Amino acid sequence: MIRRHLLPQLDAALTESPAVALLGPRQVGKTTLALEVAKARPSLYLDLESDGDRAKLSEPELYLAQHEDKLVILDEIQRVPQLFQTLRGLIDAGRRRGRGKGRFLVLGSASIDLLRQSSESLAGRIRYLELGSLDASEVGRKRLAALWLRGGFPESLLAGSDAASLRWRADFIRTYLERDIPQLGPRIPAETLRRLWTMLAHQQGGLLNAATLARALAVDGKTVASYLDLLVDLLLVRRLAPWHGNVGKRLVKSPKVYVRDSGLVHALLGIADSEALLAHPVVGGSWEGLAIESLIAAAPAGTDAYFYRTAAGAEIDLLLQIPGQRKPWAIEIKRGLAPKLDRGFHLACESVRPNRSWAVYGGVERFPLAKDVEAVSLIELCEILAQA
């Protein structure tokens, strides 16, 4: 098992909150992480996609009350959303008896229904944690190239060959479009959603232009917005918001959009191996997306992420506003071994005045690149952020 950064946070959350929701895409490792946590305490695991386990909950209050002394893990809870009301009653009853923490760990694919049901029923009783795919600092330097090509879903990353990994990702995409998303409620034509997902992969890291996407899909702008909201809610796509600091400049207001897993980007575009990736126009956006996901995952809890761009062309790829720090960290992302900073980065830093400035690049050494800017590897900056 590759150790996940979230494990200590999950352990701590279970000691502080009655219920914890661990949200993330399917196949990202939520069940593995939950069972790892369960080893340290009495626990009960129920898979709500199993007919047998769902049958046990025909009278959920009676059944779960018998296991008050255990951590109850409810996997794929969006399949039985009516359970949230039952959990609320059990949590409140347990609190009155002094059994108020670490009662339930619910795992879900971050559906809109799941978030709405839990927020309505368990307000003040639940903490949310997000588990993404494996990131650069979790897999280490030796697997970084494979992580970039194959993405961070464990089955894909650890497949026996690049071809086997690509087949897994193709099946994952097909299953999500044809089975999982329809089960979550929205009735969206699978082919239309695939086309949108593929267009976002082609434009990896580009500014969102909903009107252009709508014309290409022959739908209206509101429909595109709803489809994009769904992919964001399922943690498959990231909308990176523009920096909103008062710097007296005309700032770009549209978000940048990334398919969150680089392996899915490559599968959607039919990129089979490293040579094809290096020759493809998406190569820069793909590396940038991997770096951004890894850095956000490594940053302290509560960190807000942005990008900065002015109408005149000044730009910072990633701004991280770390809790307790007045100014953000500015990060420029370069794929090559000899990074060079554009004039636009220096102009942007003059306006933002970041707390620290970095240039992530493809090498391993750390060295000064310009005044107050250090070049650093992706994995090392992840380690620095983890200690921030």
Side-chain angles (χ1 to χ4, degrees), residues 48-226:
L48 300 183
E49 290 198 321
S50 161
D51 292 338
D53 282 356
R54 282 204 307 274
K56 294 176 183 177
L57 295 173
S58 57
E59 295 289 341
E61 193 163 355
L62 292 175
Y63 180 81
L64 294 174
Q66 297 174 358
H67 300 281
E68 188 179 38
D69 58 336
K70 300 174 183 173
L71 170 67
V72 177
I73 301 168
L74 299 167
D75 204 347
E76 298 298 343
I77 196 168
Q78 71 274 359
R79 295 296 302 274
V80 193
Q82 61 271 23
L83 268 179
F84 284 116
Q85 195 63 43
T86 299
L87 298 186
R88 175 178 177 169
L90 291 169
I91 287 169
D92 289 347
R95 279 173 165 172
R96 291 191 289 270
R97 293 192 293 273
R99 181 79 171 88
K101 310 295 182 186
R103 297 287 308 282
F104 300 100
L105 174 56
V106 300
L107 315 180
S109 300
S111 73
I112 297 167
D113 283 342
L114 172 64
L115 296 174
R116 185 179 69 244
Q117 289 279 350
S118 59
S119 62
E120 289 175 355
S121 302
L122 293 178
R125 303 167 180 85
I126 190 167
R127 182 176 302 178
Y128 297 101
L129 296 176
E130 178 187 314
L131 183 68
S133 54
L134 291 159
D135 64 60
S137 61
E138 288 175 326
V139 306
R141 199 174 309 281
K142 290 183 179 180
R143 283 182 170 149
L144 183 57
L147 174 71
W148 181 23
L149 175 66
R150 299 181 179 189
F153 288 90
E155 292 284 342
S156 176
L157 177 64
L158 303 176
S161 67
D162 288 345
S165 170
L166 183 60
R167 287 193 294 270
W168 185 92
R169 282 174 277 140
D171 290 342
F172 175 90
I173 291 167
R174 186 181 307 111
T175 301
Y176 239 109
L177 293 171
E178 296 176 0
R179 190 198 73 171
D180 293 340
I181 289 176
Q183 283 182 353
L184 295 173
R187 295 189 176 184
I188 299 174
E191 186 55 35
T192 301
L193 197 57
R194 174 186 280 274
R195 287 173 58 204
L196 173 60
W197 210 353
T198 303
M199 284 190 284
L200 296 176
H202 273 291
Q203 301 171 18
Q204 180 78 337
L207 293 175
L208 174 63
N209 188 326
T212 299
L213 294 172
R215 284 195 298 271
L217 293 171
V219 298
D220 60 41
K222 289 184 179 180
T223 300
V224 165
S226 68

Side-chain angles (χ1 to χ4, degrees), residues 1-9 28-30 32-33 130-135 138 152 154:
M1 175 183 171
I2 298 174
R3 183 174 174 83
R4 305 303 303 265
H5 292 317
L6 201 64
L7 182 59
Q9 291 184 48
V28 82
K30 299 187 299 294
T32 302
L33 185 61
E130 178 187 314
L131 183 68
S133 54
L134 291 159
D135 64 60
E138 288 175 326

Side-chain angles (χ1 to χ4, degrees), residues 110-367:
S111 73
I112 297 167
D113 283 342
L114 172 64
L115 296 174
R116 185 179 69 244
Q117 289 279 350
S118 59
S119 62
E120 289 175 355
S121 302
L122 293 178
R125 303 167 180 85
I126 190 167
R127 182 176 302 178
Y128 297 101
L129 296 176
E130 178 187 314
L131 183 68
S133 54
L134 291 159
D135 64 60
S137 61
E138 288 175 326
V139 306
R141 199 174 309 281
K142 290 183 179 180
R143 283 182 170 149
L144 183 57
L147 174 71
W148 181 23
L149 175 66
R150 299 181 179 189
F153 288 90
E155 292 284 342
S156 176
L157 177 64
L158 303 176
S161 67
D162 288 345
S165 170
L166 183 60
R167 287 193 294 270
W168 185 92
R169 282 174 277 140
D171 290 342
F172 175 90
I173 291 167
R174 186 181 307 111
T175 301
Y176 239 109
L177 293 171
E178 296 176 0
R179 190 198 73 171
D180 293 340
I181 289 176
Q183 283 182 353
L184 295 173
R187 295 189 176 184
I188 299 174
E191 186 55 35
T192 301
L193 197 57
R194 174 186 280 274
R195 287 173 58 204
L196 173 60
W197 210 353
T198 303
M199 284 190 284
L200 296 176
H202 273 291
Q203 301 171 18
Q204 180 78 337
L207 293 175
L208 174 63
N209 188 326
T212 299
L213 294 172
R215 284 195 298 271
L217 293 171
V219 298
D220 60 41
K222 289 184 179 180
T223 300
V224 165
S226 68
Y227 291 178
L228 185 59
D229 284 343
L230 175 63
L231 292 173
V232 170
D233 284 333
L234 294 175
L235 306 177
L236 297 170
V237 166
R238 179 182 296 279
R239 272 188 300 235
L240 188 64
W243 175 253
H244 51 68
N246 182 17
V247 294
K249 305 287 185 180
R250 288 183 58 201
L251 301 179
V252 167
K253 296 181 179 179
S254 297
K256 291 171 74 172
V257 182
Y258 296 86
V259 176
R260 293 183 60 165
D261 184 78
S262 61
L264 294 185
V265 173
H266 305 152
L268 288 162
L269 301 180
I271 297 171
D273 54 38
S274 296
E275 288 189 11
L277 172 58
L278 294 175
H280 199 283
V282 83
V283 61
S286 171
W287 172 256
E288 183 178 309
L290 171 67
I292 284 173
E293 289 301 316
S294 295
L295 294 167
I296 292 174
T303 296
D304 292 320
Y306 307 92
F307 75 98
Y308 177 96
R309 184 183 292 180
T310 68
E315 183 173 5
I316 298 171
D317 291 329
L318 182 64
L319 286 170
L320 294 178
Q321 185 65 65
I322 297 172
Q325 298 190 15
R326 192 171 64 87
K327 292 289 188 178
W329 288 22
I331 301 168
E332 186 73 357
I333 299 168
K334 302 292 186 182
R335 185 176 59 85
L337 298 177
K340 294 182 180 179
L341 294 174
D342 300 327
R343 183 168 179 268
F345 178 77
H346 293 294
L347 291 174
C349 286
E350 288 176 8
S351 298
V352 175
R353 299 189 178 184
N355 188 24
R356 302 186 74 175
S357 300
W358 307 89
V360 168
Y361 78 116
V364 297
E365 293 184 30
R366 179 176 171 181
F367 58 91

